[in-house]
Amino acid sequence: MTTGGYDPSKEPNNQGGEPNPPQGGYPPPPGNYPPPGNYPPPGNYPPPPGNYPPQGGYPPPPGNYPPQGGYPPPPGNYPPQGGYPPPPGNYPSGGSQYGGFGAPTQLNVGDAIGYGWKKFSQNAGVWIAFVVAAALIQFVINVIFGGFDTNELTALSIIGAIVSVFVSILIQAAYVRGALHETDGNRPSFGSFFQFENIGAVVVASLLVSLMTVVGFILLIIPGFIVIFLTWWTLQFVIDQNQQPVDAIKSSFRAISSNVGPLLLLALALVGINILGAIPCGLGLLVTIPLTIIASTYAYRVTTGRGVAP
């Protein structure tokens, strides 16, 4: 019951007859209108969650924004903003000593044979020409120094045998030099096969290997094959690393004995390839001899970690 005083809260407003909100300092009744005053209240309260960078010195809320301070960045796919080391990846490895190309870390027989075929096919004309020239040179030497008659031992035949051995060593070294050019990424020309200067070391190393092989065959044959296998890369060490003969033989022993399994499989595969190459009147050797030299030199480079050109 009213006493007759005027109560403005009972006065209808102009929006539909509802009572006006109170005008005093007491709490307002529930409603969808904001309270009067300076809201939001001032203060250093934390901001609501969001994907914006933090504005203060407290730890940032979760989000994919880059860090703004010196603390480690949260997980995300954005690039680092400071001096953090790069994440792991398939960066190319450098082979500064060998033209900047990287080296396969493990020898694979199929890769070696495939590499030999690829490099041969890219420069087949030069390789075939060299194989033909080498065969002709050895044939001419045999004809000049007594032909193929080995029943009569004469001074001429002895000289011919010495010359033939010397030329055979140089031809073998030339094959290795050409294969090293290929693994360096340089297609050899015909003259590139003879670009080696340590001829004395080449000859001495080859003679020592031949002597060891003969002794091995005398000792029940099998040791001879073992010597041939373990001295396989002697000329590679002499020509590629300029090692002395005895050091090159030791290096070949160590390198091959460190990876016997794959290298033995590769050696057997290459022997089989050359046997197949010799079947059609020897014509296949024009392909299989270069392939064998390049594949074995590839294996040498991979095993010793010296790098191969793609």
Side-chain angles (χ1 to χ4, degrees):
M1 177 177 181
T2 62
T3 58
Y6 174 72
D7 186 354
S9 65
K10 303 299 184 178
E11 185 72 18
N13 60 24
N14 296 326
Q15 302 298 325
E18 295 294 330
N20 288 321
Q23 304 299 318
Y26 48 84
N32 292 327
Y33 48 83
N38 294 323
Y39 56 88
N44 292 323
Y45 51 87
N51 288 329
Y52 47 82
Q55 304 299 320
Y58 48 84
N64 289 327
Y65 48 83
Q68 303 297 320
Y71 48 85
N77 292 325
Y78 48 82
Q81 305 296 318
Y84 313 113
N90 293 323
Y91 309 113
S93 58
S96 57
Q97 299 183 58
Y98 312 106
F101 42 80
T105 57
Q106 190 171 359
L107 176 64
N108 181 277
V109 174
D111 290 344
I113 296 175
Y115 188 89
W117 168 254
K118 181 182 74 171
K119 289 298 183 179
F120 164 76
S121 61
Q122 291 174 349
N123 200 20
V126 171
W127 278 100
I128 291 175
F130 186 79
V131 174
V132 172
L136 288 176
I137 290 171
Q138 291 178 312
F139 176 81
V140 170
I141 289 173
N142 285 328
V143 171
I144 292 175
F145 292 98
F148 298 99
D149 185 8
T150 58
N151 295 325
E152 185 179 355
L153 187 62
T154 64
L156 188 63
S157 63
I158 294 174
I159 295 173
I162 295 173
V163 172
S164 180
V165 168
F166 181 77
V167 170
S168 297
I169 291 173
L170 293 184
I171 289 174
Q172 184 64 29
Y175 278 127
V176 172
R177 178 69 271 178
L180 287 170
H181 278 306
E182 295 286 6
T183 56
D184 284 335
N186 305 318
R187 289 188 185 179
S189 61
F190 196 90
S192 302
F193 286 83
F194 297 98
Q195 290 178 346
F196 54 91
E197 300 176 355
N198 47 350
I199 297 177
V202 167
V203 172
V204 173
S206 299
L207 291 176
L208 288 176
V209 169
S210 298
L211 179 60
M212 294 168 59
T213 303
V214 169
V215 173
F217 279 123
I218 293 174
L219 300 175
L220 302 178
I221 299 178
I222 293 179
F225 287 110
I226 295 175
V227 169
I228 292 174
F229 177 63
L230 293 178
T231 58
W232 186 7
W233 293 337
T234 299
L235 288 184
Q236 276 85 349
F237 279 101
V238 171
I239 297 172
D240 190 35
Q241 302 190 37
N242 199 28
Q243 293 189 5
Q244 294 303 308
V246 175
D247 294 333
I249 292 172
K250 291 179 180 179
S251 297
S252 182
F253 265 78
R254 285 193 298 267
I256 293 176
S257 61
S258 70
N259 203 11
V260 171
L263 289 173
L264 182 59
L265 292 177
L266 176 62
L268 294 174
L270 294 178
V271 168
I273 288 174
N274 280 290
I275 291 174
L276 292 176
I279 291 175
C281 301
L283 294 177
L285 295 176
L286 297 175
V287 175
T288 61
I289 289 176
L291 186 154
T292 296
I293 298 295
I294 298 172
S296 62
T297 304
Y298 167 91
Y300 151 77
R301 278 289 184 85
V302 172
T303 302
T304 57
R306 293 182 67 81
V308 291

